[in-house]
Each structure stands twice: as structure tokens, then as C-alpha cells.
Amino acid sequence: MSSDFEGYEQDFAVLTAEITGKIARVPRLPPDEKKQMVANVEKQLEEARELLEQMDLEVREIPPQSRGMYSNRMRSYKQEMGKLETDFKRSRIAYSDEVRNELLGDDGNSSENQRAHLLDNTERLERSSRRLEAGYQIAVETGASPMPKTPNKLWHKPKESSLWKGSLKSSSPILISYPNFLDN
């Protein structure tokens, strides 16, 4: 029985070495080869699990007095299998991140693109601010009173407020030309 176990051990060692090599290569492969390699590694991991099951069955059939040594080996092999599966998951995560980046068009220039958009928007905001400042200056120069700081009191009762009527009358020429000012 121990000869069967040792044969399974050799097969497991060869298989885990192949899996380890393939897992290390997955992140560096072109996308088409990555898909194929991932599928291949999944099949080999399944074979390794089956080998472990066979080895576990062999250990159960070994007499109790010599079973301890084989049980320790099995624990070691199961830990190695767990490590392989964890490494493969990490490799697949790296692979899926690359696929996601390819699908979303993230080619590493996204921070440069974001920076360019931010600069464009900042320039647009500065131009709008300058236009508003110029409009305010025109309002001050023509003698039109700017909008009151506390509009709540004035906006709720416009008929009763003489300030409202005065502000509206004095700023009406500016308000009429205001849309044209923004179009410039």
C-alpha cells in the first residue's frame, strides 16, 4: 500500500511543480494565452485535488502503527495545495484586473487624461468667474445696486419692499443685456 502512496506522492510533486510554474507565468502572458493558461491550471488543480483524495484513502488503509508518518505528510500536502490555490487566486485577480483595464480602456494614461480634463475645467471656471466679475463691475459702474445680501426678506414680499422696486428698476437695462454678455 505504501508503494501506491509513494507513486501518488511523486505524481503530486510533479503536478504541483508544473502548476507553480504556470501560476508564475500567468500575469506576463498576452490575453489569449492567459485565458488558456488559466483554464489549464484549473484542470491541473482539480487533478491535484483528486490525487490528494487518493492519497488520503491510501493513508486510511495503512495500519494504525505506521499511519502517523503518512498523516503528517498528508497535512503537508494539503497545506501545499492550499497555498497553490491561494497563489492561483491572486494570479487570477491580477489577470482579471488587467482584463477589466483593457475593457474599460484604462491604458495607464488615465491619470494624465484626468489631469487634462481637470485643467480644462479649471480654465473654464476661471473664464466664467472673470465674466461674472466683469458683469459685477459693469453693474457697479452704471450705478445699479447689486442684489441684496439677505434676499429672503426681499424676495418673499416684493410688493411691499421699496428696495426691491428700486433694485429692479435700476438693474433692468443690465438684466436685459446680461444674456448677451454671457454669450461673448
Side-chain angles (χ1 to χ4, degrees), residues 25-26 28-39 95:
R25 289 188 350 219
V26 166
R28 295 177 295 210
L29 292 174
D32 294 338
E33 291 180 32
K34 281 182 188 180
K35 287 179 185 178
Q36 195 174 24
M37 184 67 74
V38 166
Y95 167 67

Coordinates of all heavy atoms in Angstrom, one line a residue, residues 25-26 28-39 95:
R25 N 3.7 32.4 -14.5 CA 3.7 32.9 -15.9 C 2.4 33.6 -16.2 O 2.4 34.5 -17.2 CB 4.0 31.8 -16.9 CG 5.4 31.3 -16.8 CD 5.7 30.3 -17.9 NE 4.6 29.9 -18.7 CZ 4.5 28.6 -19.2 NH1 5.4 27.7 -18.9 NH2 3.5 28.3 -20.0
V26 N 1.3 33.4 -15.6 CA 0.0 33.9 -16.0 C 0.0 35.4 -16.1 O -0.4 35.9 -17.1 CB -1.1 33.5 -15.0 CG1 -2.4 34.3 -15.2 CG2 -1.4 32.0 -15.2
R28 N 2.2 37.5 -17.0 CA 3.0 38.1 -18.0 C 2.6 37.7 -19.4 O 3.3 38.1 -20.4 CB 4.5 37.7 -17.8 CG 5.1 38.3 -16.5 CD 6.5 37.8 -16.3 NE 6.4 36.3 -16.1 CZ 7.2 35.7 -15.4 NH1 8.2 36.2 -14.8 NH2 7.1 34.4 -15.2
L29 N 1.6 36.8 -19.6 CA 1.2 36.3 -20.9 C 0.2 37.3 -21.6 O -0.5 38.0 -20.9 CB 0.5 35.0 -20.7 CG 1.4 33.8 -20.2 CD1 0.5 32.6 -20.0 CD2 2.5 33.5 -21.3
P30 N 0.2 37.2 -22.9 CA -0.8 38.0 -23.7 C -2.2 37.5 -23.3 O -2.4 36.3 -22.9 CB -0.5 37.7 -25.1 CG 0.9 37.1 -25.1 CD 1.1 36.5 -23.8
P31 N -3.2 38.3 -23.5 CA -4.6 37.9 -23.1 C -5.1 36.6 -23.6 O -5.7 35.8 -22.8 CB -5.5 39.1 -23.6 CG -4.5 40.2 -23.7 CD -3.2 39.7 -24.1
D32 N -4.9 36.3 -24.8 CA -5.4 35.0 -25.3 C -4.7 33.8 -24.6 O -5.4 32.8 -24.3 CB -5.1 34.9 -26.8 CG -6.0 35.9 -27.6 OD1 -7.0 36.4 -27.1 OD2 -5.6 36.2 -28.8
E33 N -3.4 33.9 -24.5 CA -2.7 32.8 -23.8 C -3.0 32.7 -22.3 O -3.0 31.7 -21.7 CB -1.2 33.0 -24.0 CG -0.7 32.8 -25.4 CD 0.8 33.0 -25.6 OE1 1.5 32.7 -24.6 OE2 1.2 33.5 -26.7
K34 N -3.4 33.9 -21.7 CA -3.7 33.9 -20.3 C -5.0 33.1 -20.1 O -5.1 32.3 -19.1 CB -4.0 35.3 -19.8 CG -2.7 36.1 -19.5 CD -3.1 37.4 -19.0 CE -1.8 38.3 -18.9 NZ -2.0 39.6 -18.4
K35 N -6.0 33.3 -20.9 CA -7.2 32.5 -20.8 C -7.0 31.0 -20.9 O -7.5 30.2 -20.0 CB -8.2 32.9 -21.9 CG -8.8 34.2 -21.7 CD -9.8 34.5 -22.9 CE -10.3 36.0 -22.8 NZ -11.2 36.3 -23.9
Q36 N -6.2 30.6 -21.8 CA -5.8 29.2 -22.0 C -5.0 28.7 -20.8 O -5.3 27.6 -20.3 CB -5.0 29.1 -23.3 CG -4.9 27.7 -23.8 CD -4.2 27.7 -25.2 OE1 -3.4 28.6 -25.5 NE2 -4.4 26.7 -25.9
M37 N -4.1 29.5 -20.3 CA -3.3 29.1 -19.2 C -4.1 28.9 -17.9 O -4.0 28.0 -17.1 CB -2.1 30.1 -18.9 CG -1.2 29.7 -17.8 SD -0.2 28.2 -18.2 CE 0.9 28.9 -19.4
V38 N -5.0 29.9 -17.7 CA -5.9 29.8 -16.5 C -6.8 28.5 -16.5 O -6.9 27.8 -15.5 CB -6.8 31.1 -16.4 CG1 -7.9 30.9 -15.4 CG2 -5.9 32.3 -16.0
A39 N -7.3 28.2 -17.7 CA -8.1 27.0 -17.8 C -7.3 25.8 -17.6 O -7.7 24.8 -16.9 CB -8.8 26.9 -19.2
Y95 N -4.9 38.9 -13.2 CA -5.4 38.7 -14.6 C -6.7 39.4 -14.8 O -6.9 40.1 -15.8 CB -5.5 37.2 -14.8 CG -6.2 36.9 -16.1 CD1 -5.7 37.2 -17.3 CD2 -7.5 36.2 -16.0 CE1 -6.4 36.9 -18.5 CE2 -8.2 35.9 -17.2 CZ -7.6 36.2 -18.4 OH -8.3 35.9 -19.6

